[in-house]
Amino acid sequence: MQPAQILQPRPQGIYCPKADLYIDPTRPVERALITHGHSDHARAGHGRVLATAETLAIMGARYGAEFAGSAQALRYGERLDINGVTFSLHSAGHVLGSAQAAAECGGTRVVASGDYKRQPDPTCAPFEVVPCDVFITEATFALPVFTHPSAEHEVRKLLASVAMFPERAHIVGAYALGKAQRVMATLRACGWDKPIYVHGALMALTDLYQKLGVELGEIRHVTDAKKSAYEGAIVLCPPGALQTPWVRRFPDPVTSVASGWMRIRARARQQGAELPLVISDHADWGDLRRTIKDTGAGEIWITHGEADALAHWCEGQGLKAKALHLVGYGDEGEPAGAEPGAAA
Ligand SMILES: [Zn+2]
Ligand SMILES: [Zn+2]
């Protein structure tokens, strides 16, 4: 079976004609398979949605219970036949509930990775290599400059700064879904046992993570307490909040951002990060290449990011590669203010 008979790129997303199903569609469709809850992949308004139970819960928290006509949960590894195509979800290691989508028909398997990472993350299941004929990957960090140190290494930099400036508050910008909770869990793993303070925009998803069994310790909502209450505190907020008057309530704040983009100094400056932390939920250049090899796929389709650079590398390896340049994906897709309560 030709891979394009199983999955093919369309303007609305990756499409399976036999099952009349889109993976991570960017516009409302009748039937959608959603890889994970980031807003550039998971949108409201589809007829039927197939995803992990965690991703469905995240969509419910973000968009309300009516985010789709109907929803069906699929466990990792469970197989579902839709009109002759067998679909299954496999852990992507990106955020809680994130999955790669495998579609199989006539002995040919195509895997759409969604977003993924190979680094350990205490808040979600580890990435699973799924052998396939065609691997559809992202390429957010597909340039040699992008190497991601371990999250523990970066969090220890934060803790060293807290120890050095005990009278200052440390304010860390982190995306509301996944990154914020990963930073919290990594702080705990590194021995930080004091309360962690959060901006209102991070509260709902952090609560949901805890309800779904992810241990994050004591999390407190930032209030209008006097400045001195936050001396020596670690506070998490959406990256966009760092450049707002909100930070002025903290004593002599040290501003920080947790993102793979922090590898680029100009980007760190632009985001107002005095203490950049290179913590990414996407594969870095090394892990992108390793993963492509590990899948054994002979053909690579690239959805978004540095697609041409990755395609060029694939061709050098003797692999067929195609840059899809899909519109609508990218970064974590969470502009400041997009979250409920972001203005708080
Ligand atoms: Zn994502
Ligand atoms: Zn994405």
Side-chain angles (χ1 to χ4, degrees), residues 36 38 40-41 94 115 282 304 329-332:
H36 67 285
H38 279 143
D40 54 331
H41 297 256
H94 176 57
D115 296 334
H282 295 263
H304 65 285
Y329 304 114
D331 213 338
E332 279 85 351

PDB file of all heavy atoms in Angstrom, residues 36 38 40-41 94 115 282 304 329-332, ligand 2:
ATOM      1  N   HIS A  36      -2.040  15.866  21.171  1.00  0.00           N
ATOM      2  CA  HIS A  36      -1.822  16.407  22.520  1.00  0.00           C
ATOM      3  C   HIS A  36      -2.517  17.759  22.662  1.00  0.00           C
ATOM      4  O   HIS A  36      -2.991  18.331  21.689  1.00  0.00           O
ATOM      5  CB  HIS A  36      -0.325  16.518  22.840  1.00  0.00           C
ATOM      6  CG  HIS A  36       0.417  17.527  22.032  1.00  0.00           C
ATOM      7  ND1 HIS A  36       0.756  17.326  20.711  1.00  0.00           N
ATOM      8  CD2 HIS A  36       0.894  18.764  22.347  1.00  0.00           C
ATOM      9  CE1 HIS A  36       1.424  18.372  20.263  1.00  0.00           C
ATOM     10  NE2 HIS A  36       1.510  19.271  21.222  1.00  0.00           N
ATOM     11  N   HIS A  38      -1.722  20.959  23.377  1.00  0.00           N
ATOM     12  CA  HIS A  38      -1.315  22.320  23.021  1.00  0.00           C
ATOM     13  C   HIS A  38      -2.280  22.904  21.999  1.00  0.00           C
ATOM     14  O   HIS A  38      -2.753  22.211  21.103  1.00  0.00           O
ATOM     15  CB  HIS A  38       0.116  22.336  22.463  1.00  0.00           C
ATOM     16  CG  HIS A  38       1.162  22.311  23.543  1.00  0.00           C
ATOM     17  ND1 HIS A  38       2.336  21.620  23.426  1.00  0.00           N
ATOM     18  CD2 HIS A  38       1.196  22.896  24.767  1.00  0.00           C
ATOM     19  CE1 HIS A  38       3.053  21.792  24.527  1.00  0.00           C
ATOM     20  NE2 HIS A  38       2.374  22.558  25.360  1.00  0.00           N
ATOM     21  N   ASP A  40      -2.102  24.667  19.395  1.00  0.00           N
ATOM     22  CA  ASP A  40      -1.902  24.609  17.937  1.00  0.00           C
ATOM     23  C   ASP A  40      -2.242  23.231  17.379  1.00  0.00           C
ATOM     24  O   ASP A  40      -2.386  23.069  16.167  1.00  0.00           O
ATOM     25  CB  ASP A  40      -0.479  25.037  17.532  1.00  0.00           C
ATOM     26  CG  ASP A  40       0.626  24.267  18.232  1.00  0.00           C
ATOM     27  OD1 ASP A  40       0.406  23.820  19.371  1.00  0.00           O
ATOM     28  OD2 ASP A  40       1.712  24.111  17.645  1.00  0.00           O
ATOM     29  N   HIS A  41      -2.420  22.241  18.242  1.00  0.00           N
ATOM     30  CA  HIS A  41      -2.771  20.888  17.799  1.00  0.00           C
ATOM     31  C   HIS A  41      -4.209  20.528  18.176  1.00  0.00           C
ATOM     32  O   HIS A  41      -4.896  19.833  17.426  1.00  0.00           O
ATOM     33  CB  HIS A  41      -1.818  19.863  18.421  1.00  0.00           C
ATOM     34  CG  HIS A  41      -0.396  20.050  17.987  1.00  0.00           C
ATOM     35  ND1 HIS A  41       0.213  19.252  17.066  1.00  0.00           N
ATOM     36  CD2 HIS A  41       0.526  20.983  18.346  1.00  0.00           C
ATOM     37  CE1 HIS A  41       1.467  19.672  16.862  1.00  0.00           C
ATOM     38  NE2 HIS A  41       1.668  20.722  17.631  1.00  0.00           N
ATOM     39  N   HIS A  94       6.021  14.297  25.365  1.00  0.00           N
ATOM     40  CA  HIS A  94       6.023  15.751  25.138  1.00  0.00           C
ATOM     41  C   HIS A  94       5.352  16.483  26.297  1.00  0.00           C
ATOM     42  O   HIS A  94       5.964  17.338  26.936  1.00  0.00           O
ATOM     43  CB  HIS A  94       5.328  16.009  23.807  1.00  0.00           C
ATOM     44  CG  HIS A  94       5.143  17.442  23.426  1.00  0.00           C
ATOM     45  ND1 HIS A  94       6.195  18.329  23.310  1.00  0.00           N
ATOM     46  CD2 HIS A  94       4.019  18.142  23.104  1.00  0.00           C
ATOM     47  CE1 HIS A  94       5.719  19.513  22.943  1.00  0.00           C
ATOM     48  NE2 HIS A  94       4.413  19.428  22.819  1.00  0.00           N
ATOM     49  N   ASP A 115       4.207  16.480  18.514  1.00  0.00           N
ATOM     50  CA  ASP A 115       5.455  16.987  19.079  1.00  0.00           C
ATOM     51  C   ASP A 115       5.999  15.910  20.013  1.00  0.00           C
ATOM     52  O   ASP A 115       5.227  15.174  20.619  1.00  0.00           O
ATOM     53  CB  ASP A 115       5.197  18.273  19.873  1.00  0.00           C
ATOM     54  CG  ASP A 115       4.700  19.414  18.994  1.00  0.00           C
ATOM     55  OD1 ASP A 115       5.001  19.414  17.789  1.00  0.00           O
ATOM     56  OD2 ASP A 115       4.012  20.302  19.533  1.00  0.00           O
ATOM     57  N   HIS A 282      10.560  19.724  23.261  1.00  0.00           N
ATOM     58  CA  HIS A 282      10.750  19.211  21.895  1.00  0.00           C
ATOM     59  C   HIS A 282      12.117  18.547  21.789  1.00  0.00           C
ATOM     60  O   HIS A 282      13.042  18.890  22.525  1.00  0.00           O
ATOM     61  CB  HIS A 282      10.678  20.361  20.887  1.00  0.00           C
ATOM     62  CG  HIS A 282       9.338  21.016  20.807  1.00  0.00           C
ATOM     63  ND1 HIS A 282       8.408  20.695  19.854  1.00  0.00           N
ATOM     64  CD2 HIS A 282       8.767  21.963  21.579  1.00  0.00           C
ATOM     65  CE1 HIS A 282       7.330  21.424  20.029  1.00  0.00           C
ATOM     66  NE2 HIS A 282       7.511  22.208  21.072  1.00  0.00           N
ATOM     67  N   HIS A 304       6.589  21.008  10.329  1.00  0.00           N
ATOM     68  CA  HIS A 304       6.835  22.436  10.558  1.00  0.00           C
ATOM     69  C   HIS A 304       8.169  22.613  11.269  1.00  0.00           C
ATOM     70  O   HIS A 304       8.755  21.645  11.751  1.00  0.00           O
ATOM     71  CB  HIS A 304       5.708  23.058  11.374  1.00  0.00           C
ATOM     72  CG  HIS A 304       5.600  22.530  12.780  1.00  0.00           C
ATOM     73  ND1 HIS A 304       5.091  21.285  13.069  1.00  0.00           N
ATOM     74  CD2 HIS A 304       5.946  23.064  13.979  1.00  0.00           C
ATOM     75  CE1 HIS A 304       5.111  21.092  14.375  1.00  0.00           C
ATOM     76  NE2 HIS A 304       5.635  22.138  14.958  1.00  0.00           N
ATOM     77  N   TYR A 329       0.936  25.215  12.896  1.00  0.00           N
ATOM     78  CA  TYR A 329       1.656  24.625  14.021  1.00  0.00           C
ATOM     79  C   TYR A 329       2.868  25.483  14.324  1.00  0.00           C
ATOM     80  O   TYR A 329       3.327  26.244  13.484  1.00  0.00           O
ATOM     81  CB  TYR A 329       2.149  23.213  13.682  1.00  0.00           C
ATOM     82  CG  TYR A 329       1.071  22.280  13.242  1.00  0.00           C
ATOM     83  CD1 TYR A 329       1.055  21.791  11.945  1.00  0.00           C
ATOM     84  CD2 TYR A 329       0.077  21.880  14.122  1.00  0.00           C
ATOM     85  CE1 TYR A 329       0.061  20.928  11.523  1.00  0.00           C
ATOM     86  CE2 TYR A 329      -0.913  21.021  13.713  1.00  0.00           C
ATOM     87  CZ  TYR A 329      -0.921  20.542  12.409  1.00  0.00           C
ATOM     88  OH  TYR A 329      -1.898  19.693  12.000  1.00  0.00           O
ATOM     89  N   GLY A 330       3.402  25.294  15.514  1.00  0.00           N
ATOM     90  CA  GLY A 330       4.660  25.966  15.786  1.00  0.00           C
ATOM     91  C   GLY A 330       4.768  26.386  17.216  1.00  0.00           C
ATOM     92  O   GLY A 330       3.775  26.783  17.814  1.00  0.00           O
ATOM     93  N   ASP A 331       5.965  26.310  17.736  1.00  0.00           N
ATOM     94  CA  ASP A 331       6.245  26.607  19.133  1.00  0.00           C
ATOM     95  C   ASP A 331       5.189  25.876  19.970  1.00  0.00           C
ATOM     96  O   ASP A 331       4.654  24.863  19.565  1.00  0.00           O
ATOM     97  CB  ASP A 331       6.210  28.121  19.366  1.00  0.00           C
ATOM     98  CG  ASP A 331       7.210  28.518  20.457  1.00  0.00           C
ATOM     99  OD1 ASP A 331       7.578  27.646  21.259  1.00  0.00           O
ATOM    100  OD2 ASP A 331       7.631  29.679  20.489  1.00  0.00           O
ATOM    101  N   GLU A 332       4.842  26.385  21.117  1.00  0.00           N
ATOM    102  CA  GLU A 332       3.783  25.729  21.862  1.00  0.00           C
ATOM    103  C   GLU A 332       2.438  26.390  21.604  1.00  0.00           C
ATOM    104  O   GLU A 332       1.437  26.024  22.186  1.00  0.00           O
ATOM    105  CB  GLU A 332       4.106  25.670  23.353  1.00  0.00           C
ATOM    106  CG  GLU A 332       5.049  24.520  23.706  1.00  0.00           C
ATOM    107  CD  GLU A 332       6.522  24.881  23.516  1.00  0.00           C
ATOM    108  OE1 GLU A 332       6.827  25.949  22.950  1.00  0.00           O
ATOM    109  OE2 GLU A 332       7.370  24.080  23.922  1.00  0.00           O
TER     110      GLU A 332
HETATM  111 ZN    ZN B   2       3.369  21.892  18.229  1.00  0.00          ZN
END
